[in-house]
Amino acid sequence: MSLNKLVYIKVVQLFLVLFSMLDSFSIIHAQDTTNAKDGSFSFEGQIYPQWNNDGYQPQFKIRWNINSSSALRLNTSFNRSVDYYEVFELGGAGVGSVEKINSFYSFGFGYEGIRSFDRTSLYSGIEGFVGLGKEDVYGSRTDSISFVSDLNYNVKRPLQHLGVRVFTGVDYNITSHLYIGSEVGLMLLKTTHKTGSYQVLDASSLTSPDVTTSIASSSNSDLSFSGLGSIRIGWRF
């Protein structure tokens, strides 16, 4: 059995134990139903295991419960990472640097059909989503491998996600406001790298110090399961 499958099984087992504990708690502290009321809003965060590499991982969700059997949802996420390293001159004191900046913002809008029980709600639905970002690189006094005192360069690549997802999930209401849950889905995602540019700035050239080359666009589509192992924690207003 692979490590990813083993980890996923452990996560599911832990989740089942947690649900069992919460169910015992609800029996001891019985009260009226804690499901969402008509017109209520909820805000939740979503946590993903390290082995989950979904192309679409919304971090925050807002829900509007239209009535007891339907809701609208808005998912959002923002990611930004910066990697930096230096390139030393061989046999000298020169230092070059390379900085890689990846940033991405996405949002999705969808509909849920809900079936409610005492403390548990099962739901399923569909959502569409779009994302915009960039994958840029900036090099100073280097060609990214060797130190070059009079060379700078940059790479700029716009990125776009476009997709649709069908999903199903479960919520467990700990109180009338606090709930936890999990969700899985089937996602069709198209990733497009739009036309980018590669620019070289050569300080040693007097005739053509800047040279810009276009980077052709490319795209790929993928159909896959999403949300495996995710845990959602929400607060209902």
Side-chain angles (χ1 to χ4, degrees):
M1 182 180 293
S2 67
L3 178 60
N4 284 352
K5 289 184 178 180
L6 182 60
V7 172
Y8 179 66
I9 290 174
K10 294 297 183 183
V11 170
V12 172
Q13 290 175 340
L14 178 62
F15 215 69
L16 290 174
V17 171
L18 181 59
F19 270 127
S20 177
M21 293 172 61
L22 290 173
D23 189 57
S24 298
F25 180 84
S26 67
I27 293 174
I28 296 174
H29 300 274
Q31 53 179 290
D32 294 338
T33 179
T34 56
N35 287 306
K37 303 299 188 294
D38 292 359
S40 65
F41 284 87
S42 61
F43 178 83
E44 67 183 55
Q46 301 175 81
I47 304 170
Y48 297 84
Q50 289 186 346
W51 49 264
N52 184 307
N53 58 358
D54 292 348
Y56 174 62
Q57 291 188 344
Q59 299 163 321
F60 303 104
K61 180 191 297 177
I62 298 174
R63 275 170 155 171
W64 175 40
N65 291 88
I66 302 172
N67 51 49
S68 60
S69 61
S70 59
L72 298 178
R73 57 196 257 159
L74 175 67
N75 276 312
T76 63
S77 66
F78 177 75
N79 297 288
R80 187 176 190 272
S81 64
V82 178
D83 295 323
Y84 174 88
Y85 65 89
E86 294 181 338
V87 180
F88 294 139
E89 179 183 10
L90 293 177
V95 179
S97 65
V98 176
E99 185 177 47
K100 299 180 179 180
I101 302 175
N102 295 328
S103 62
F104 195 78
Y105 172 74
S106 66
F107 65 93
F109 184 78
Y111 170 81
E112 301 175 6
I114 305 169
R115 183 176 177 83
S116 299
F117 301 94
D118 182 23
R119 282 185 172 267
T120 305
S121 296
L122 303 178
Y123 64 89
S124 59
I126 186 171
E127 66 177 335
F129 56 91
V130 63
L132 299 171
K134 62 180 182 179
E135 297 177 346
D136 295 347
V137 181
Y138 298 90
S140 175
R141 308 181 76 192
T142 180
D143 61 359
S144 79
I145 299 175
S146 304
F147 173 83
V148 184
S149 62
D150 52 7
L151 182 68
N152 298 319
Y153 76 94
N154 61 73
V155 178
K156 297 183 178 181
R157 297 208 70 186
L159 179 66
Q160 176 183 287
H161 279 177
L162 186 64
V164 63
R165 179 173 178 262
V166 292
F167 56 84
T168 185
V170 59
D171 291 337
Y172 186 90
N173 299 297
I174 301 174
T175 71
S176 59
H177 295 289
L178 180 65
Y179 65 91
I180 65 171
S182 188
E183 179 180 298
V184 295
L186 183 65
M187 173 177 65
L188 176 62
L189 173 65
K190 180 180 181 180
T191 302
T192 301
H193 284 90
K194 295 186 175 182
T195 302
S197 64
Y198 172 63
Q199 184 180 44
V200 177
L201 301 92
D202 188 350
S204 66
S205 174
L206 300 177
T207 57
S208 182
D210 300 349
V211 178
T212 302
T213 304
S214 294
I215 301 175
S217 63
S218 63
S219 66
N220 71 281
S221 299
D222 181 53
L223 180 65
S224 62
F225 288 106
S226 67
L228 296 176
S230 65
I231 297 176
R232 301 163 26 255
I233 303 173
W235 184 266
R236 185 179 297 112
F237 296 93

